[in-house]
Amino acid sequence: MCGVLGLVSAQPRDDLGEIAGSLLEALQYRGYDSTGAAIQGEGEDVTLLKDVGAPSEVIHRLGIVKQAGQIFCGQVRWATFGAVDQANAQPHVVRCKAGLLYGAHNGNVTNTDALKSWLTAEGHEVKSDNDGEMVVHTIEHFFAEEVESAADRGAAMRRAIVRASERLAASSAALLVDPITPVLYADT
């Protein structure tokens, strides 16, 4: 088992990392192999901190609890796809066709290998074997197509999420953040 977490504050908070750390630790009982957090401050700056280990240890070792920010996206992972290593820990930050997006996923994407092949052939820079990264890249792929002709960035993202969910063979919940708007989207 594992879990995915997201939090958006109306204003930047100096204690967002403390809150994120508490939330990640609360999932430790479910089992884990790695822990991670993406924290966005003002503007489009995103700090990605993730590694192998228990939430109670990783949040302090990586300094997650010391982060300030406005948006938190985190995950406590129990491996299904990809080795237990830092690259496969979640969340994932991607910068390909649509610019910067980040997110995490909880569950199983059974067509992960096929998605990775398709995404790589489409020019995406896939850095892991983790199904969560395939979710973020797949949404980003369709978002790049949708946002190109859209007057409303949020509507383009919602269409991209629908298109991506049709491509994913998954039983999952996912969080995705567009740091430009900034909005956190959830899909279950």
Side-chain angles (χ1 to χ4, degrees):
M1 295 185 82
C2 54
V4 62
L5 299 157
L7 175 69
V8 179
S9 173
Q11 300 295 323
R13 299 179 60 114
D14 289 337
D15 66 344
L16 187 64
E18 292 173 33
I19 295 166
S22 293
L23 291 169
L24 290 165
E25 275 188 306
L27 292 179
Q28 186 163 312
Y29 79 96
R30 294 176 57 127
Y32 59 84
D33 60 48
S34 58
T35 305
I39 297 179
Q40 182 178 343
E42 294 187 65
E44 297 173 34
D45 293 332
V46 178
T47 301
L48 178 63
L49 301 166
K50 61 182 187 173
D51 206 353
V52 172
S56 59
E57 186 268 327
V58 172
I59 63 171
H60 298 288
R61 179 169 42 88
L62 296 183
I64 291 171
V65 295
K66 296 178 182 175
Q67 299 298 309
Q70 190 168 0
I71 299 177
F72 157 65
C73 175
Q75 208 247 22
V76 175
R77 177 175 180 251
W78 189 256
T80 51
F81 290 92
V84 178
D85 60 22
Q86 186 180 36
N88 287 313
Q90 294 191 59
H92 295 283
V93 174
V94 301
R95 290 178 175 89
C96 290
K97 298 173 180 273
L100 172 65
L101 295 177
Y102 61 97
H105 136 279
N106 179 42
N108 291 304
V109 179
T110 57
N111 61 338
T112 293
D113 293 339
L115 284 171
K116 184 174 183 177
S117 295
W118 170 68
L119 289 163
T120 303
E122 290 290 323
H124 292 267
E125 186 182 341
V126 179
K127 298 178 180 179
S128 76
D129 296 318
N130 181 255
D131 52 351
E133 184 180 9
M134 303 319 138
V135 170
V136 178
H137 273 289
T138 301
I139 295 169
E140 190 269 345
H141 178 84
F142 291 116
F143 182 60
E145 293 178 0
E146 293 290 340
V147 78
E148 193 172 289
S149 62
D152 180 344
R153 194 171 175 91
M157 180 60 77
R158 289 187 294 277
R159 287 190 302 273
I161 290 169
V162 169
R163 289 178 66 191
S165 64
E166 293 168 353
R167 183 90 187 212
L168 300 167
S171 172
S172 65
L175 296 177
L176 186 91
V177 180
D178 173 12
I180 292 174
T181 44
V183 174
L184 183 146
Y185 297 86
D187 184 32
T188 57

